Amino acid sequence: GEELEADVVVFATGYGKDYSVFTDEVRGKLDLQTDGHWLYRHTLPTAVPNLAFVGSELATISNISSYGIQAAWVAKMWAGEIPTPAAKEMEEEITANKAWKRKWMPLTTSRASLVLLHQTHFHDMLLKDMGLPHRRKGANVFAEFFAPYAP
């Protein structure tokens, strides 16, 4: 129910990635590498405040669910409902993510954005950050691991 002013909001699909919309200064601060764009929680660049990438730097099995959770996470962070981590904490997560992915994933220009089958863990991280329940089968920890999903 609230309107916010924005200089630019870009909605796009089916495109090749091109960061020329940003100034040279901003592009220089983004972590653009041969294997992708490395971001905190696949969303926030560490050196450019007030900028988030929702959907464009994240590939999962069910993209629309992931993008919805990602958008809610950004909204809560920017509304001040959850704290923005310090740059050092964000860099540490990105460094760990790079090392993990580069250890086993083949080189591709989108490696940084690939979450795919690890999406449940990714969703859980964002839900925990927002203080929301992350278990899909109630409070029973054993059910979370061993019980089948039901409608």
Side-chain angles (χ1 to χ4, degrees), residues 43-121:
T43 309
L44 300 179
T46 59
V48 185
N50 302 316
L51 178 63
F53 292 85
V54 175
S56 69
E57 305 300 331
L58 175 66
T60 63
I61 299 302
S62 58
N63 286 328
I64 195 68
S65 299
S66 300
Y67 301 163
I69 295 168
Q70 192 181 31
W73 182 83
V74 169
K76 285 187 173 289
M77 185 167 291
W78 284 357
E81 295 176 29
I82 57 176
T84 302
K88 182 179 182 202
E89 180 183 338
M90 292 193 287
E91 288 291 347
E92 287 172 355
E93 179 186 293
I94 292 169
T95 298
N97 204 10
K98 281 181 191 177
W100 175 67
K101 287 183 176 186
R102 288 173 175 169
K103 189 175 188 178
W104 67 277
M105 279 187 186
L107 176 61
T108 175
T109 57
S110 62
R111 178 166 48 193
S113 67
L114 299 178
V115 173
L116 303 173
L117 296 174
H118 304 276
Q119 76 180 27
T120 302
H121 175 70

Side-chain angles (χ1 to χ4, degrees), residues 20-31:
S20 65
V21 67
F22 300 111
T23 65
D24 290 340
E25 178 185 359
V26 170
R27 275 196 314 274
K29 292 179 180 179
L30 297 176
D31 195 11

